[in-house]
Amino acid sequence: MSTAIITHPDCLEHETPSGHPERTARLRSVMTALDDPKFGAALRISAPVCPDACLRRAHPDRYVEKIRDSIPARGTASLDPDTHASPRSLDAALRAAGANVEAVDLVMAGRVKNAFAAVRPPGHHAETERAMGFCIFGNAAIGALHALEHHGLQKVAVVDFDVHHGNGTSDLLWNEPRAMFASTHQIPLYPGTGKASETGAFGQIVNAPLPPGSNGLDFRITLENVIIPKLNDFAPDLIIISAGFDAHRRDPLASIDLEEDDFSWATHVICDIADAHSQGRVVSTLEGGYDLTALAASAAAHVKALMERSQ
């Protein structure tokens, strides 16, 4: 089997104000890296628009309509102090969510072993009825709920190693006993959530915060001692990765000192869990990462690891 890379040109049409860190150049840098011949064996898939039924599992109609009504005819409009919309932002957001649905479908059909959704806007800060932190729809959570409801899986885990806590994914899955959300992230840092005491309605939320200045060894120890045992206990049928690369030492928005090798290692460790419990099925979706050089190199290391596991 192979690895799928799922993206769409619409994701480049989501324009943010000048100087905003979540900019079109982020996805361009990732796709340039993934255009290298060493990724030539990956299956390239165009992201579909997310079906309304999949959106509704995570966000009520009134929220989706609020987003539609907020899209400006020109320029940008603020959805919250950090999150902005331009005329094509809804198209991009629907493709980003749709890429996660498509990734789940591809993996569940056995067409690929794993998949990477190279999309923007990111999703892990989008709450049930609130756009925030550069995010509009909860991409990873939408994929998880689709796997549970459409494919009839018993258990799905979302593992988030973005440097910022995925408060949106936590909110969307808080009351879902079939979905585990496990996150390692920096505290203190935006959005101010993600304490170890936040465990979900059924104890299925696992937060493993790291202090500023943590390095690759600290990250690996935390994953091995906190998150991996919980994943093994949960024994998911599918794992979704919220792959943020802003814990890289070069990133301007945080203070964790990871390197590309740390993301590659984490990918392999998560794939080990998938091999043990999930028939190797892994879906990954791009979240943060704001230094273009570090983002491109880290995403390439992540996808390279996914491809190694799909052989």
Side-chain angles (χ1 to χ4, degrees):
M1 285 198 286
S2 61
T3 295
I5 298 174
I6 307 171
T7 191
H8 196 280
D10 282 357
C11 293
L12 297 169
E13 299 298 323
H14 168 55
E15 299 287 348
T16 53
S18 177
H20 195 281
E22 207 298 282
R23 59 202 190 277
T24 298
R26 294 183 61 246
L27 184 54
R28 291 193 190 279
S29 71
V30 169
M31 294 312 300
T32 296
L34 297 181
D35 282 340
D36 188 282
K38 67 185 176 185
F39 299 105
L43 181 65
R44 307 288 173 142
I45 299 291
S46 179
V49 170
C50 185
D52 286 346
C54 296
L55 274 183
R56 290 192 191 104
R57 293 189 184 110
H59 304 285
D61 285 344
R62 60 180 175 270
Y63 172 71
V64 177
E65 289 308 310
K66 179 182 176 182
I67 295 298
R68 292 186 193 278
D69 292 343
S70 299
I71 301 300
R74 62 184 65 85
T76 59
S78 295
L79 303 178
D80 95 326
D82 301 304
T83 311
H84 306 276
S86 58
R88 297 294 305 282
S89 291
L90 180 60
D91 298 326
L94 289 172
R95 297 285 183 183
N100 280 258
V101 172
E102 179 72 5
V104 169
D105 287 345
L106 288 168
V107 169
M108 291 305 302
R111 287 188 60 194
V112 295
K113 183 79 168 287
N114 51 50
F116 177 64
V119 293
R120 58 183 288 277
H124 75 151
H125 292 307
E127 297 183 344
T128 305
E129 296 195 60
R130 183 184 181 191
M132 62 180 291
F134 316 158
C135 304
I136 297 176
F137 298 130
N139 302 329
I142 287 168
L145 293 170
H146 176 66
L148 291 168
E149 298 299 335
H150 180 75
H151 290 283
L153 297 188
Q154 299 299 306
K155 291 181 286 186
V156 174
V158 178
V159 181
D160 188 335
F161 52 66
D162 190 284
V163 80
H164 302 92
H165 179 243
N167 61 293
T169 309
S170 181
D171 177 57
L172 289 166
L173 300 181
W174 188 268
N175 293 304
E176 177 49 76
R178 300 170 296 171
M180 175 183 178
F181 175 62
S183 175
T184 179
H185 47 272
Q186 180 183 322
I187 288 184
L189 191 66
Y190 179 91
T193 55
K195 298 178 179 63
S197 58
E198 299 169 20
T199 58
F202 301 92
Q204 84 289 12
I205 305 291
V206 180
N207 288 306
L210 294 165
S214 296
N215 59 25
L217 179 60
D218 301 318
F219 171 74
R220 294 182 188 214
I221 289 172
T222 297
L223 228 65
E224 286 183 326
N225 291 350
V226 181
I227 290 178
I228 297 306
K230 294 288 189 180
L231 278 172
N232 270 320
D233 289 344
F234 189 71
D237 301 313
L238 170 73
I239 298 177
I240 297 176
I241 303 173
S242 271
F245 301 106
D246 39 8
H248 195 282
R249 62 178 179 81
R250 291 176 55 108
D251 200 274
L253 298 190
S255 305
I256 301 293
D257 296 326
L258 301 191
E259 304 277 357
E260 294 93 305
D261 285 350
D262 295 307
F263 296 116
S264 177
W265 173 86
T267 306
H268 279 290
V269 168
I270 293 168
C271 286
D272 287 342
I273 302 297
D275 285 346
H277 302 290
S278 316
Q279 300 178 41
R281 297 183 295 218
V282 172
V283 165
S284 177
T285 187
L286 181 64
E287 299 285 2
Y290 304 100
D291 178 275
L292 298 184
T293 300
L295 171 61
S298 300
H302 175 61
V303 174
K304 180 175 182 288
L306 290 175
M307 291 181 69
E308 289 169 352
R309 302 305 291 249
S310 68
Q311 294 174 357

